[in-house]
Every structure is written in C-alpha cells, then in structure tokens.
Amino acid sequence: MSPPEERGAQMVRRLWVALRARPSRPQMAIAALCGLLAFGLVTQVHATSTTGGLSSARTDDLLGILADLDNRADRLRADITDLQASDLALRSGTGQNRAALREARARARTLGILTGTLPASGPGIVLTISDPQGQVRADVLVDALQELRDAGAEAIQLSGVRVVASTALLDDVGGGVDVSGRRVTPPYRLAVIGDSRTLAGALEIPGGVSDTVGRVPGAHAEITLSARVTITALQVLQEPRYARPVRR
Amino acid sequence: MIVAFAVALGVALGLVLQPTVPLDLQPYLPIAVVAALDALFGGVRAWLERIFDEKVFVVSFVANVLVAALIVFVGDKLGVGGELSTAVVVVLGIRIFSNAAAIRRHLFRA
C-alpha cells in the first residue's frame, strides 16, 4: 500500500485525466444519464414542494388523509358545540349573577336606611321641641319616637343622632337627653321621613305628643311639613356579638 | 467534464421548464430518481476501486431505474403499491448508505 499522500495525489491526477479526457461514446451516455437524473431530481423536488406532496400521493394515502381530516373536522365540530354550550352557560350565569347583584344592592340600600348606615332623604316632617327650661324628659321623646314609628316613619334623626332600632334614650344628669351615649340638649329637632300628613296627624291627636309637650312648662312643639327632609347622621353598624342567623 | 456539464444542463432545464410530472408517471419518478442515485453512488465507488466500467455503469443505471419502476408498477397492479415503493426506497437507501460508506473509506481511509 502506498502512503496516503501519494494515494491522494494519484487520485487527483486520475480525476484530472478523467476530466480532461476527450468524451468517448460511453462517457456521452453516462453524461446523458447523469443529466437525466439531475433533471428528474429537480422536477420531483419541485413537484413535491409545490403541491405539498399531495399530487404524488397514492389513492390509499389520500383516502387515509381524507379520513384523518374528516375525523379532525368531526372533533372540531364537537368542540364547537361544547364551547357554544359553555358560552351559553357562562352568559346565563353572568345574567343570573347580575340579577342577584342588583337584588343584593337593593337590599343593601333598604337595610342601610333601616340600620342608619346610609343617608336618606324624602318627604316628611321636622318636629322641633323647644324647651328653654329643660323640663322635657326622655320619656316624652320616647313617646314621640314611638308615635312617629307607629305612623310609619322610615328614618328618624334626633338632633344630629340617627335613631335606629337599638337607640336608647335616657335622662342625662347634666340636663338634656342621652341618646345612645351622646348628649343632646334642647331644642330637640326631630327630622322624620315618612308620609308627612300621617306623621303630623299622629303627633297632633288630642292627648298626643304635642299636647304632652305643651303641658310641660315653657316647652313648645312645632311641626313643619316638608317635601324634602334630608337625614345625614349615620350609625356605625356593629357586628352582633351573640346573635347569629339561624340556618334554614 | 462533460458529465458536470450535463448535470448542470439537467438542473437548469428542470428549473427553467418546471415541468409538471404526468399523472401516470407520478408514482414512478421518485423511485426512479432514488434508483438512479443508487446507481450513481455505485459508479463512484467502482471508480474509486478502479473497477469502473462505462458499460456496466450505463447498463446498471438503466436497469436499476427500470426495475424499480417495474416493481412499483407491479405493486400498484397488485394493490400494494405504497408498501412496495416503501420497500424499494428502503432497499435502495441501504445500498446508497453502504456505497457511501465504501466511498468514505476510500476517500478518508476511515
């Protein structure tokens, strides 16, 4: 065996000779075949790349591809149906949620007025009890509140203090009245929202609040009907410590 | 030299004309091309082994192409065309690989 360098040089020489050689007939034939091969190769590559290979695929393969595509279309159609169903469900769910939210907001408003956490305004009366001598006691005011509630008062404010279900009135030792821990001094101003005629009538019946106040020395009750009474005093809502809702 | 020229001419013709393969020939052309490639690699190997013979090359080239096309044709007639063409491609691919390995051994002695 000759060393590799010599072999390589020999090979290059042979190649040179082969390239330089005058084309004989067999070489022409070989050239023709190689040209044909190149032509076929390029044609096939081109045909495959332009048609994505589908046109040169066999009937069986095409049937397989078609069946695959059919299956896929079926699956996608089923997906569409599912998604439409969930879309519908979500939509109706959103609608229900919105209705529930609206309801809850309305309830919160109602409860806010009842519990005194929201300011309120509406038709009603303003009852002013002037008592320069400080003779009007808490029980008179309690009577007045009771009477107003009887007459359908929806929101009451007593001299800057919102009156709610838990409001308690006591005689304050220093004069005036203790309303749920806050001292209120005369003149007492009761802003009441409700049907103003009914409220005024309830206060003015013989032997009612007006008469009672009128019998107290120096005291005087004045009732003003108003188309718009605004109550801005608020109560802080306190979480009940003991009472819990009963589960139904 | 003339071979290189012919190859260039074939590529140029294929690119310029962009012929569409006739429908009847579509299953055979890829197989024929692979068979011709096999013959070509065999020829290069023979040349490197100094047993190259022009006549043998031409005959084997044409015979390879024809036999491959014939096998696919028969397979199509029998209804196993796809499988048979796969088989032909596999066999020719193996041959191309072994020829390429022999060429590599001759060129790089490895």
Side-chain angles (χ1 to χ4, degrees), chain B residues 53-77:
Chain B
D53 185 282
E54 283 99 343
K55 202 175 113 194
V56 170
F57 176 73
V58 172
V59 170
S60 78
F61 190 103
V62 174
N64 246 2
V65 169
L66 288 184
V67 167
L70 188 71
I71 289 175
V72 176
F73 174 75
V74 171
D76 267 347
K77 291 295 159 207

Side-chain angles (χ1 to χ4, degrees), chain A residues 70-81:
Chain A
D70 276 348
N71 280 339
R72 220 171 123 209
D74 282 349
R75 259 203 316 281
L76 290 177
R77 228 167 272 138
D79 279 359
I80 289 174
T81 317

Side-chain angles (χ1 to χ4, degrees), chain A residues 104-192:
Chain A
R105 286 223 175 96
R107 276 181 73 123
R109 274 197 297 276
T110 311
L111 292 174
I113 288 172
L114 277 178
T115 55
T117 53
L118 286 180
S121 78
I125 62 162
V126 176
L127 167 66
T128 312
I129 300 175
S130 50
D131 177 27
Q133 299 175 23
Q135 296 295 310
V136 173
R137 304 179 59 86
D139 62 308
V140 176
L141 293 176
V142 171
D143 279 349
L145 289 178
Q146 214 49 51
E147 203 67 61
L148 290 167
R149 281 173 176 157
D150 263 355
E154 289 173 355
I156 305 172
Q157 172 180 332
L158 168 52
S159 296
V161 183
R162 187 72 168 261
V163 178
V164 293
S166 59
T167 304
L169 280 76
L170 292 170
D171 286 326
D172 199 286
V173 282
V177 173
D178 183 312
V179 183
S180 289
R182 282 184 59 183
R183 183 156 170 267
V184 172
T185 50
Y188 307 109
R189 185 176 177 276
L190 275 157
V192 188

Side-chain angles (χ1 to χ4, degrees), chain B residues 4-109:
Chain B
F5 178 71
V7 169
L9 184 70
V11 171
L13 271 181
L15 284 179
V16 171
L17 296 180
Q18 305 225 330
T20 47
V21 188
L23 205 63
D24 293 338
L25 282 182
Q26 268 176 3
Y28 307 118
L29 184 57
I31 301 296
V33 167
V34 174
L37 277 177
D38 172 48
L40 189 67
F41 273 86
V44 172
R45 180 190 179 179
W47 186 79
L48 286 170
E49 288 174 354
R50 302 176 186 227
I51 53 171
F52 183 74
D53 185 282
E54 283 99 343
K55 202 175 113 194
V56 170
F57 176 73
V58 172
V59 170
S60 78
F61 190 103
V62 174
N64 246 2
V65 169
L66 288 184
V67 167
L70 188 71
I71 289 175
V72 176
F73 174 75
V74 171
D76 267 347
K77 291 295 159 207
L78 293 177
V80 289
E83 291 82 348
L84 257 188
S85 54
T86 307
V88 169
V89 168
V90 168
V91 170
L92 291 176
I94 290 171
R95 280 172 53 106
I96 289 175
F97 254 99
S98 61
N99 279 335
I103 292 169
R104 189 200 68 221
R105 272 197 293 278
H106 275 287
L107 286 182
F108 305 116
R109 310 195 51 72

Side-chain angles (χ1 to χ4, degrees), chain A residues 224-235:
Chain A
T224 317
L225 274 63
S226 170
R228 187 174 175 82
V229 176
T230 303
I231 294 180
T232 50
L234 298 182
Q235 277 282 346

